[in-house]
Amino acid sequence: QVQLVESGGGLVQPGDSLRLSCKYSGITQNVYAIGWFRQVPGKEREGVGCFTSGGGIRFYANSMKGRITISRGSALNTVDLQMNSLKPEDTAVYYCAARAACSPYSSGYDFWGQGTQVTVSS
């Protein structure tokens, strides 16, 4: 059974950086993708970016381009989302999800983590 667990969220001030980590398990395919999404109440889940098992990276959120990096984590079976120069509008619950290939659309993902709250406020 595929499981994903996000960690690293919290309360930060505008301009701060934060690194989220997604630990996944149970993926048996050799080719897969881990996507990052975020959601605020009342809005649809927004694609942030995606990391493939082959090391490919996609960025989806125009509002975050230039401020985020996605990489394989230092721990086994983890993918990190590094966010810099955070803004209040980045406040959201951040999720990671798994599927066979990257997609910016949440509907295409089969497995999801429980999410981690990121709050950017002074």
Side-chain angles (χ1 to χ4, degrees), residues 5 7 20 70 87 94 104 108 110:
V5 179
S7 62
L20 306 183
I70 300 174
K87 305 174 182 180
Y94 285 73
D110 303 310

Side-chain angles (χ1 to χ4, degrees), residues 3 17 46 57 74 78 86 88 96 99 110:
Q3 292 185 323
S17 297
E46 176 190 20
I57 299 171
S74 57
T78 58
L86 284 163
C96 62
R99 68 177 297 231
D110 303 310

Side-chain angles (χ1 to χ4, degrees), residues 19-79:
R19 178 180 290 264
L20 306 183
S21 186
C22 174
K23 183 168 180 61
Y24 57 91
S25 60
I27 296 178
T28 58
Q29 296 91 335
N30 290 327
V31 178
Y32 57 88
I34 303 296
W36 281 100
F37 290 80
R38 64 182 183 177
Q39 188 171 28
V40 296
K43 292 191 175 182
E44 292 187 0
R45 204 162 285 189
E46 176 190 20
V48 174
C50 186
F51 184 90
T52 73
S53 53
I57 299 171
R58 308 284 186 273
F59 296 107
Y60 299 134
N62 288 329
S63 63
M64 299 193 83
K65 283 183 179 177
R67 301 190 290 121
I68 62 171
T69 57
I70 300 174
S71 61
R72 196 181 304 277
S74 57
L76 184 65
N77 290 347
T78 58
V79 173

